[in-house]
Amino acid sequence: MAQQLFFIITVWKRGMKNINLPISIDEAQKIILESVKPLTDEGISIMESANRVLYEDIVASTMIPPRDNSAMDGYAVIAADTKGATETSPVKLQVIAEIRAGGLLDGKEVLKGTAIRIMTGAPLPKSADSVIPFEDAEEEAGYIRIFNETVKYSNCRFAGEDIKKGDKVLEKGDRLRSADVGILASLNYQTIKVYKQPTVSIISTGDELAEIGEEVQMGQIRNSNAYSLYSEVKKYSGLPDYLGIVKDTLKDTREMFLKAMKSDVIISTGGVSMGKYDFVKEIYSDLNIETKFEWIKVKPGRPCTFGVKENKLFFGLPGNPVSTLTSFLQFVRPALLRLMGAKRIRKPVLNAILEEDLKKQPGKAFLLRGHFSIRNNEFYVSTTGNQNSSVLRSMSRANCLIVIPENTSEVKAGEKVAIQLIDHDEI
Ligand SMILES: Nc1nc2c(c(=O)[nH]1)N[C@H]1C(S)=C(S)[C@@H](COP(=O)(O)OP(=O)(O)OC[C@H]3O[C@@H](n4cnc5c(N)ncnc54)[C@H](O)[C@@H]3O)O[C@H]1N2
Ligand code: MOO
């Protein structure tokens, strides 16, 4: 009875929502994405644009390539002129001119029975409809001998075959890859409009933490979460600011969170489970941050708090180093990408053959650290060792997370399991 009363009071205090009940990964992601308001835009040089998200559609104002040109170093010919060419009875054509890449046509034209020496990328002269590579012809005293027939359009590249004028080549919401940057350059863009990068404050909580360079006192461990998170934030194009370690007191935690409020996203690690000195949740209600959820039906990462205040997103990630990273991947990563306007935010998931038996309790999903490999065109996966949430080594060896659903209790070697590819681009 007393327990029920406590529960009702807690729910009431936290805005009539049952945030104490664990929710699924999918539900949590939905709540987070509903809370994200994408940032505004800025203009940047295309040189800085890799991994940024376009704020505008890119519509081609010219054709690429702009004119028909040669795909090989060789001879521009009229294909019909090579008819009947064989090893024993080669066709002979007179070489009447040469065109270099970047050179001008200057009215040069291939006439019947002639050829023009041409370099890769040089404009195709009028009436030529095929290019014979140097290695397939023999030149001597102003003539070439050709030993094989060629067909029309061999080794020719045509105007607009890559991009036509008016094509929408890239879209608002695309996260730019290197080939995209190349297309922008081909279309003469020096600068483009992209979404701003989210600023991200990172806070480590815990009296037990020693900073890099400090002596580790009795009972202390080295702070690793701030650094693994810092690199994850950078990987997903956020602007991280590591604010340091905060001691487990309400006063210090409040001061640190007030300092962090300058950012779009505030990530803390530790202090979100049931410990006597876990203050993060208390600080949320203290600072009027609306808590949306506190527990997820997943291991690692069961305690995980998410809150919102004035478009700022607050993630209270669990302290265990692996739980921090898996929770980042499932929850913070999609939020950062959506803040930056990205359309694609899902990591690829595929099926792989499990190489060992796995058992778990039902009731929560498991995200096991795995390593996948490909043999005989099949994906295989095995775990990377000790799956304790504090064991970072097995995360460091992992290239995927094996997803065992909530209600499954056992999977046998040889069965297929879903694997989430953690190092691959979003789809
Ligand atoms: N009574 C309960 N205890 C715990 C529960 C629970 O449900 N009931 N959940 C457990 C689970 S699961 C996790 S995960 C942890 C999460 O706890 P906190 O987020 O409150 O984290 P802390 O207690 O502060 O730390 C947990 C663990 O992680 C180490 N840690 C913390 N910060 C860092 C850092 N920056 N770098 C490296 N390692 C860090 C810390 O030393 C602890 O060992 O709670 C369980 N307990
Ligand atoms: O859920 Mo905790 O994150 O397993 O160790």
Side-chain angles (χ1 to χ4, degrees):
M1 183 63 197
Q3 223 180 359
Q4 267 176 329
L5 192 63
F6 170 77
F7 180 69
I8 291 165
I9 291 171
T10 315
V11 169
W12 173 73
K13 267 175 57 186
R14 301 220 177 120
M16 305 310 286
K17 262 191 281 91
N18 206 345
I19 52 174
N20 263 320
L21 282 181
I23 58 175
S24 69
I25 297 178
D26 286 353
E27 286 170 295
Q29 283 174 343
K30 188 163 176 278
I31 292 171
I32 292 166
L33 294 178
E34 281 168 2
S35 308
V36 174
K37 192 170 169 285
L39 301 170
T40 52
D41 64 297
E42 62 180 341
I44 59 163
S45 155
I46 66 159
M47 303 281 266
E48 307 302 326
S49 70
N51 293 320
R52 299 292 299 274
V53 179
L54 270 176
Y55 193 82
E56 57 182 336
D57 290 341
I58 301 293
V59 177
S61 55
T62 49
M63 284 194 291
I64 310 251
R67 58 191 65 82
D68 298 348
N69 66 88
S70 174
M72 289 279 194
D73 299 320
Y75 302 95
V77 298
I78 299 166
D81 278 356
T82 67
K83 201 160 169 31
T86 62
E87 276 297 320
T88 49
S89 142
V91 163
K92 207 170 164 192
L93 301 173
Q94 188 185 4
V95 181
I96 55 169
E98 181 176 285
I99 311 168
R100 310 153 59 120
L104 295 174
L105 275 178
D106 284 336
K108 288 170 192 149
E109 194 176 339
V110 175
L111 305 169
K112 199 168 162 30
T114 71
I116 291 182
R117 204 179 296 113
I118 191 167
M119 307 305 143
T120 306
L124 210 58
K126 218 168 142 191
S127 57
D129 59 11
S130 186
V131 173
I132 294 172
F134 282 145
E135 50 275 36
D136 293 345
E138 272 177 20
E139 183 173 344
E140 203 185 329
Y143 284 84
I144 49 169
R145 289 192 304 156
I146 299 156
F147 305 94
N148 281 305
E149 287 184 4
T150 180
V151 290
K152 262 190 173 186
Y153 313 131
S154 296
N155 305 313
C156 296
R157 304 190 288 212
F158 298 101
E161 80 172 19
D162 185 352
I163 294 171
K164 299 202 173 31
K165 192 172 169 180
D167 279 356
K168 194 204 272 184
V169 283
L170 294 165
E171 278 186 10
K172 185 172 181 176
D174 283 341
R175 191 158 180 233
L176 294 170
R177 300 159 66 238
S178 310
D180 304 331
V181 180
I183 283 184
L184 291 169
S186 313
L187 292 173
N188 198 29
Y189 280 85
Q190 237 159 21
T191 58
I192 41 155
K193 265 196 207 175
V194 290
Y195 283 89
K196 283 190 171 151
Q197 294 167 281
T199 51
V200 183
S201 284
I202 298 171
I203 303 167
S204 297
T205 76
D207 286 345
E208 78 279 26
L209 300 178
E211 199 50 275
I212 298 175
E214 282 176 8
E215 204 176 315
V216 176
Q217 307 290 339
M218 177 70 177
Q220 281 197 312
I221 54 152
R222 193 75 70 195
N223 172 19
S224 65
N225 288 347
Y227 300 92
S228 52
L229 279 179
Y230 195 97
S231 56
E232 280 293 91
V233 170
K234 283 193 83 149
K235 180 170 166 186
Y236 295 101
S237 311
L239 295 170
D241 184 10
Y242 170 41
L243 301 186
I245 296 170
V246 60
K247 292 282 172 209
D248 286 329
T249 72
L250 256 181
K251 182 173 167 289
D252 289 349
T253 313
R254 183 185 298 110
E255 273 169 19
M256 185 61 108
F257 269 82
L258 283 172
K259 220 161 92 180
M261 294 266 197
K262 62 179 173 88
S263 299
D264 301 310
V265 177
I266 294 91
I267 313 177
S268 58
T269 66
V272 288
S273 68
M274 305 297 278
K276 201 169 152 201
Y277 305 100
D278 289 346
F279 291 124
V280 171
K281 293 179 203 175
E282 205 167 328
I283 285 302
Y284 277 27
S285 64
D286 207 38
L287 298 178
N288 289 324
I289 298 161
E290 188 194 349
T291 303
K292 301 275 192 180
F293 60 75
E294 291 182 342
W295 302 96
I296 316 280
K297 285 188 257 177
V298 66
K299 185 171 176 59
R302 205 175 92 88
C304 181
T305 303
F306 172 63
V308 180
K309 184 179 179 176
E310 293 152 9
N311 294 331
K312 293 181 187 303
L313 309 176
F314 294 78
F315 293 91
L317 304 185
N320 274 322
V322 176
S323 317
T324 290
L325 279 175
T326 55
S327 306
F328 178 94
L329 276 163
Q330 307 311 315
F331 307 121
V332 189
R333 178 193 58 80
L336 290 183
L337 290 173
R338 204 31 78 72
L339 272 170
M340 282 197 317
K343 277 188 307 200
R344 283 176 284 278
I345 57 169
R346 296 182 79 83
K347 284 290 188 198
V349 173
L350 21 113
N351 286 324
I353 299 166
L354 189 63
E355 302 210 73
E356 65 205 91
D357 293 347
L358 291 176
K359 275 192 180 156
K360 76 174 209 7
Q361 319 104 306
K364 53 185 164 184
F366 272 36
L367 300 174
L368 300 168
R369 284 142 264 174
H371 190 273
F372 77 87
S373 52
I374 304 171
R375 298 196 300 271
N376 306 324
N377 293 327
E378 289 272 18
F379 285 97
Y380 288 85
V381 69
S382 45
T383 56
T384 50
N386 188 333
Q387 295 287 316
N388 195 310
S389 304
S390 55
V391 177
L392 205 45
R393 188 88 194 276
S394 48
M395 186 67 181
S396 152
R397 288 201 194 106
N399 61 5
C400 67
L401 293 174
I402 306 171
V403 185
I404 311 288
E406 254 169 66
N407 296 322
T408 305
S409 54
E410 195 174 1
V411 201
K412 293 261 183 226
E415 288 178 8
K416 287 208 167 173
V417 283
I419 57 169
Q420 187 185 49
L421 308 190
I422 55 181
D423 294 326
H424 289 67
D425 282 351
E426 280 67 18
I427 53 169

